[in-house]
Amino acid sequence: MKLLLFLSDFCIPFVVCWVIVYGWLGGCPVFDVFVKGAKRGLKTVAGILPTLIGLMAAVRLLRDSGLLDRIADLLSPLAGLLHIPAEVLPLILVKLFSASAATGILLDIFKNFGPDSYTGMLAAVIASCAETVLFVMSVYLTHVHIRKSRWILPAALFCTLAGVLAAVWVTGIVI
């Protein structure tokens, strides 16, 4: 086990050095290419920053206004039929918008129910495998200028539901 930990500490530095040496030996201006990529990355960040700020504000409003809890209360009978604890519903809803806000809710679930409980394990699986659908859509669709996105949201929400149901099934098997 110690050997694996030792090797894992050197994996990323090794890969970075290997790419630099490989590029340099191949005659590529490694530093110039790196600087060009960094400039393009900053332009991308500047382009998606308004979207990020808007999504962060929306998630904060949902949590602070109590609307998130109201929506979870409305969905709790349906969630009960699917064997989803009502306490996990806010996590599922917030995960659609923000992974960091979902992590905060996940930590609250751990604090209240424990990470080894069914609720804690289910929340951990959902937080780990669900995607931030609205965040990804807004960032990528804005960045690549896709205008015809009619079926993207329904398909993404269907996949999220399938992932949540798979998480319920898998967590039920493990416990």
Side-chain angles (χ1 to χ4, degrees):
M1 185 67 173
K2 288 183 181 182
L3 177 65
L4 188 61
L5 291 172
F6 176 77
L7 290 174
S8 68
D9 287 339
F10 292 100
C11 282
I12 292 176
F14 173 77
V15 169
V16 169
C17 290
W18 181 78
V19 167
I20 291 170
V21 169
Y22 184 79
W24 181 67
L25 290 175
C28 177
V30 176
F31 184 74
D32 294 337
V33 171
F34 171 77
V35 170
K36 285 180 187 176
K39 284 181 184 177
R40 288 177 57 192
L42 285 175
K43 287 179 184 176
T44 300
V45 168
I48 65 174
L49 193 59
T51 304
L52 293 174
I53 292 171
L55 283 172
M56 289 168 48
V59 168
R60 193 77 227 171
L61 281 171
L62 278 174
R63 286 191 80 180
D64 290 348
S65 70
L67 182 61
L68 183 64
D69 294 329
R70 300 286 181 243
I71 294 170
D73 290 343
L74 289 173
L75 294 175
S76 62
L78 176 62
L81 293 174
L82 300 173
H83 304 288
I84 301 170
E87 299 81 15
V88 178
L89 286 175
L91 172 75
I92 296 168
L93 295 171
V94 167
K95 184 67 177 184
L96 294 172
F97 295 96
S98 168
S100 59
T103 301
I105 293 174
L106 177 65
L107 293 175
D108 289 343
I109 291 171
F110 285 168
K111 187 170 67 172
N112 294 330
F113 298 96
D116 293 334
S117 67
Y118 173 75
T119 303
M121 286 188 186
L122 177 61
V125 172
I126 290 171
S128 299
C129 68
E131 184 58 75
T132 52
V133 172
L134 300 173
F135 168 77
V136 170
M137 280 184 59
S138 62
V139 169
Y140 291 124
L141 295 180
T142 301
H143 184 68
V144 295
H145 307 292
I146 293 177
R147 300 286 177 236
K148 296 180 181 179
S149 59
R150 179 178 178 184
W151 296 106
I152 295 174
L153 181 61
L157 292 176
F158 177 77
C159 290
T160 298
L161 177 63
V164 167
L165 294 177
V168 169
W169 182 67
V170 168
T171 305
I173 290 173
V174 170
I175 290 187

